[in-house]
Structures are given as C-alpha cells and as structure tokens.
Amino acid sequence: MKDLISITDLTTEALQGLIDKAQDLIADPGKYCEKCKGKKLATLFFEPSTRTRLSFEAAMLELGGSVLGFSEAGSSSASKGESVADTAQTISCYADIIAMRHPKEGAPLVAAQAACVPVINAGDGGHNHPTQTLTDLLTIYREKGRLTKLKIGFCGDLKFGRTVHSLITAMARYQGNSFVLISPEELRVPGYIRKDTLDRNGLSYKETDNWNDMPDLDILYMTRVQRERFFNEADYLRLRDAFILTTDRLADAKGELCILHPLPRVNEIERAVDRDERAAYFRQVLNGKYIRMALILKLLGID
Ligand code: NCD
C-alpha cells in the first residue's frame, strides 16, 4: 500500500497493526523520537483545519522529522490555476510524504496517482476522512476495549459528514455492530453508504429523527452540521439546531456510553456535557496524534 485514500485501503489486520503501534507510541514515546530523522512531511490543505493539520505536523515533529506546507488554497499556486496533479508531482520533489485536504471529492486520489511519494487523504469534500476514522477506531478501542458488538449512534449531519461515511465503512467490518442513524430527514446518509455498505453487508441499522434509542447506545458519535457544503443558507439555518446534546438528554443513557465528536463543535454538544466522564472527544483529539504517528511510520516503511 503506497497511499491512504479510503479506509478500505487498509485490511482489518493492517488496522489492528496501526492501533497496536499507536498504543506502543503512547506507552513508550521515547523509543520513536528519532525514527523519522531527515524525513519531511508536506501538509497541503486547500480547506480549513485545526486538528487534522496540526496533529499531522505534531506527529511528524515527535518522530524527529520536519514539516512544510500550506494551510489555504489562496497561498498556493492552485490560485493561479495549477492542477492538483501538478502540485502533487511538484511536492514529491520536496517531501517524503504528503497529507492533503481538499474540498473536491477525489482530489487526494488524483494527487496520489501523480505523486511518487505516499499521499494521505486528510479529508476530501463530503466524501471520506480516513485518518479521522483511524483516530475514532483507536479511541473506541481504548475506551471500550473492543471494536465488535457495539451499538453506535451517529447524530447530526450524516449526509455531508465525511467522518461519518468513513467510520460507518470501518465499523461495518467488525462482527456484531449495529447502527442508529439519527438526523433530520434531509441530512440522512448518502444512498451509496446505505446501499453499498449497510444493505450489501446485511448490517443491522435504523434511520430515525429522534433520540429514542439513547438508552441502548454504547457509542454516540455527534457531528456538526456542515454549513460549507449546503447549497443555501436558509436550509442550514433551518437544520443546524435539530439535534443538540444536553446533560438532560443523557439522563437515560448507559453509564458506560462513550460520546465522540470529530470536532470542531459549533453548538451540537452543550458545554456542560464536557464535564461528564462519558465525553471522550478531547481524549479522541490526543489519540489522533498517536495514530497519525503510526500511519506515517507505516507509509514510510519504518518499524
Ligand atoms: C472534521 C472534518 O474536517 O471533516 N473535522 C476533523 O477533521 N476533525 C469534522 C468537521 O469539520 O465537522
């Protein structure tokens, strides 16, 4: 495997290998602090980011490597009309590995085909976000001790939320998982996720527009309504407050519920929820750095 474009590029064994490596990185970071000495990571971000870009950069720095890149399309030659393929081929001359975020679905795949170094999809439009999924899997594994037999609620913008699409695809591979898809009717998961992932694999799932399943959930994955992907502001304003998680809502949830969110949060989780031990989203942020360290090592062929 040269690149990571979709979570399906990794076998279940490879996923477990990354989780195990991340656990070792957490336990013994000193062992890895010079592993990427002399290596460079380029972060090519054509869309805003805080966690993904900075966790990639922190990951490479903690491995002893260095980083270069840009954080907005306007400061790159894309603004002069350069193609993604040409940009990727160019950066291959400067860096050993590339992490790319782009508003157009498929752009990182195009980059991977043109680059002679590994390319990681750091989010492409409303499509995929495989490294957030690696973060989510590591977090679920550390919080719950397993990736199987879990009832997972996804709540919010399931249509445009790329983290949701990648995580459903990943969790569908593990035995005994079931899904509750909580959203307004207009923001349900895209047809290809329903048909190609959920229906084709005969998975147990339910689409709903209410919180009634809360008491049965093992995991609640909250998401932001993705304002930038709406075609008109009025629809966004109408839908943005449809599901807000409050401490009252959690009254009948399991004591061991694990609440996740890829962040950034707008208002879909009330701040008071942060004090609840079940809120794991800031632990999730830290896990994101370690799993990206594991991924960089893997793609560079370093043990
Ligand atoms: C997510 C993204 O960019 O898709 N954020 C992230 O990478 N942690 C979620 C979002 O923007 O809502």
Side-chain angles (χ1 to χ4, degrees):
M1 183 183 109
K2 172 179 158 283
D3 313 290
L4 178 66
I5 303 302
S6 159
I7 198 68
T8 54
D9 294 341
L10 291 161
T11 62
T12 312
E13 294 71 42
L15 280 175
Q16 192 58 46
L18 287 173
I19 291 173
D20 293 344
K21 179 65 89 179
Q23 299 265 58
D24 198 48
L25 279 152
I26 293 168
D28 193 358
K31 200 162 99 192
Y32 295 92
C33 65
E34 298 219 319
K35 289 273 183 191
C36 286
K37 207 165 169 199
K39 300 282 184 200
K40 281 173 279 175
L41 164 78
T43 49
L44 313 186
F45 276 59
F46 296 86
E47 246 194 11
S49 169
T50 299
R51 274 149 295 271
T52 306
R53 185 171 64 84
L54 296 182
S55 68
F56 262 117
E57 297 192 358
M60 191 49 149
L61 294 173
E62 287 196 23
L63 291 168
S66 40
V67 297
L68 65 164
F70 52 83
S71 57
E72 48 182 82
S75 64
S76 79
S77 284
S79 63
K80 300 180 187 169
E82 186 171 58
S83 69
V84 163
D86 284 359
T87 302
Q89 197 173 341
T90 301
I91 306 299
S92 296
C93 303
Y94 309 145
D96 302 284
I97 184 164
I98 295 172
M100 174 185 276
R101 168 170 289 188
H102 203 284
K104 287 225 170 73
E105 287 82 0
L109 176 61
V110 171
Q113 286 160 350
C116 52
V117 299
V119 173
I120 301 168
N121 178 2
D124 63 327
H127 190 214
N128 277 327
H129 195 343
T131 64
Q132 181 62 45
T133 298
L134 293 176
T135 302
D136 302 339
L137 293 176
L138 175 62
T139 307
I140 294 170
Y141 193 74
R142 285 173 67 76
E143 298 282 326
K144 306 296 297 179
R146 64 183 198 278
L147 295 171
T148 54
K149 297 193 192 129
L150 294 164
K151 195 174 200 89
I152 310 160
F154 286 90
C155 179
D157 187 345
L158 312 187
K159 178 179 181 186
F160 296 118
R162 55 194 173 194
T163 65
V164 171
H165 308 154
S166 295
L167 185 56
I168 290 178
T169 307
M171 292 307 283
R173 285 198 193 165
Y174 297 94
Q175 284 270 307
N177 289 332
S178 58
F179 305 91
V180 183
L181 307 173
I182 309 162
S183 75
E185 168 126 32
E186 292 97 320
L187 297 180
R188 288 185 176 182
V189 292
Y192 75 89
I193 294 286
R194 198 176 310 114
K195 283 194 223 90
D196 301 345
T197 303
L198 297 166
D199 290 339
R200 184 169 298 166
N201 294 305
L203 292 162
S204 156
Y205 72 97
K206 168 177 175 184
E207 296 188 285
T208 171
D209 62 1
N210 60 60
W211 295 98
N212 294 351
D213 292 273
M214 182 72 100
D216 301 326
L217 299 180
D218 300 302
I219 294 173
L220 174 60
Y221 194 92
M222 293 297 298
T223 61
R224 164 180 80 89
V225 177
Q226 308 272 303
R227 179 181 204 159
E228 66 276 31
R229 313 224 189 273
F230 276 70
F231 297 108
N232 73 71
E233 183 76 358
D235 285 345
Y236 167 72
L237 294 174
R238 186 167 52 80
L239 296 169
R240 67 173 180 185
D241 296 330
F243 290 93
I244 297 180
L245 185 65
T246 60
T247 48
D248 290 349
R249 281 258 175 258
L250 286 166
D252 58 355
K254 284 186 182 170
E256 324 74 60
L257 173 72
C258 170
I259 307 166
L260 300 178
H261 191 310
L263 304 178
R265 149 175 62 187
V266 182
N267 66 340
E268 58 282 353
I269 302 182
E270 182 188 68
R271 250 161 222 295
V273 174
D274 299 3
R275 290 192 293 275
D276 191 310
E277 251 309 292
R278 293 171 289 186
Y281 30 91
F282 287 106
R283 298 194 287 276
Q284 192 180 356
V285 172
L286 184 58
N287 290 331
K289 182 183 69 177
Y290 290 111
I291 200 79
R292 288 183 174 98
M293 289 170 84
L295 179 66
I296 290 169
L297 289 171
K298 180 180 170 65
L299 293 179
L300 290 178
I302 299 169
D303 206 20

